């Protein structure tokens, strides 16, 4: 079966074919899944690599042992780090009991209990209807329990710059990450004042230069630790850190675990 036809059929027809059903889908991703939306909210957990998910406003980095919640009607595309990444999806209709938790795109770490529940869903595929009372009750409980198991929102996302100059600046930062750039040096390179550049970041992205740059470096480090085979020290240098303790502390602050712990558990996470 042609992969694109399969993806289109799956996303545009199967998920929303029955408004009251909970739809379950486990599959190898293969290629990029182009921009689309659903009438149902989506729980997405992946294995075998990192996934990049793009909405109209932000680019999200979904690493192993984390899940992303995507509310209904949010336009998004999905980009796997490699073709063998496995998606584990549950699509839920809106329930009267839904809280504000379900209205935001967010990434959360997955604890052992949620891992067990995710693996339990592996026996399901396709629609689960309300008439299937036992199965539907378990699937619905999966959604209802998410806020109780997801207290820590992780800032694994970067906003898209729309300003032409800021787009160039961000591209420059991505290419020169190993140089540990400061705002004055970046501003000088683009022949503007650092004050002007600072205001541009704050106005356009609602973040300071250092907030954006730090998150960019840590998200890049996360991908390198997962996919590149580089050592922690080599990754630190790649993203501009000469001090390993400083890199480790910053990684822990942004990602929620230290790089040593992440690498130690890497095989389990995949």
């Amino acid at each position: 079966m042609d992969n694109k036809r399969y993806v289109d059929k799956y996303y545009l027809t199967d998920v929303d074919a029955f408004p009251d059903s909970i739809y379950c889908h486990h599959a190898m991703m293969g290629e990029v899944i182009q921009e689309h939306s659903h009438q149902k909210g989506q729980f997405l957990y992946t294995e075998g690599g990192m996934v990049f998910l793009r909405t109209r406003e932000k680019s999200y980095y979904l690493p192993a042992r984390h899940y992303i919640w995507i509310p209904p009607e949010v336009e998004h595309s999905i980009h796997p780090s490699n073709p063998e990444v496995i998606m584990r999806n549950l699509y839920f209709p809106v329930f009267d009991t839904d809280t504000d938790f379900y209205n935001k795109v967010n990434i959360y770490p997955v604890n052992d209990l949620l891992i067990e529940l995710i693996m339990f869903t592996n026996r399901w595929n396709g629609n689960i209807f309300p008439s299937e009372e036992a199965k539907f009750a378990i699937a619905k409980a999966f959604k209802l329990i998410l806020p109780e198991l997801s207290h820590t929102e992780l800032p694994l996302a970067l906003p898209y710059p729309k300003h032409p100059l800021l787009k160039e600046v961000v591209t420059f930062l991505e290419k020169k990450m190993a140089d540990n750039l400061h705002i004055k040096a970046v501003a000088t390179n683009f022949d503007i004042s650092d004050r002007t550049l600072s205001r541009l970041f704050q106005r356009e992205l609602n973040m300071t230069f250092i907030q954006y740059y730090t998150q960019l470096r840590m998200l890049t480090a996360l991908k390198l630790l997962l996919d590149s085979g580089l050592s922690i020290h080599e990754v630190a240098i790649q993203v501009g850190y000469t001090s390993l303790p400083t890199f480790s502390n910053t990684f822990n602050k942004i990602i929620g675990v230290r790089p040593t712990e992440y690498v130690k558990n890497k095989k389990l996470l995949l």
Side-chain angles (χ1 to χ4, degrees), residues 67 108-111 113-114 117 145-152:
Y67 79 88
Y108 303 92
V110 171
N111 64 15
L113 174 57
L114 195 50
L117 291 173
I145 202 173
L146 289 178
E148 296 299 319
L149 302 180
S150 310
H151 297 295
T152 307

Side-chain angles (χ1 to χ4, degrees), residues 148-165:
E148 296 299 319
L149 302 180
S150 310
H151 297 295
T152 307
E153 300 175 11
L154 294 181
L156 304 180
L158 287 172
Y160 286 134
K162 294 183 173 60
H163 192 284
L165 176 59

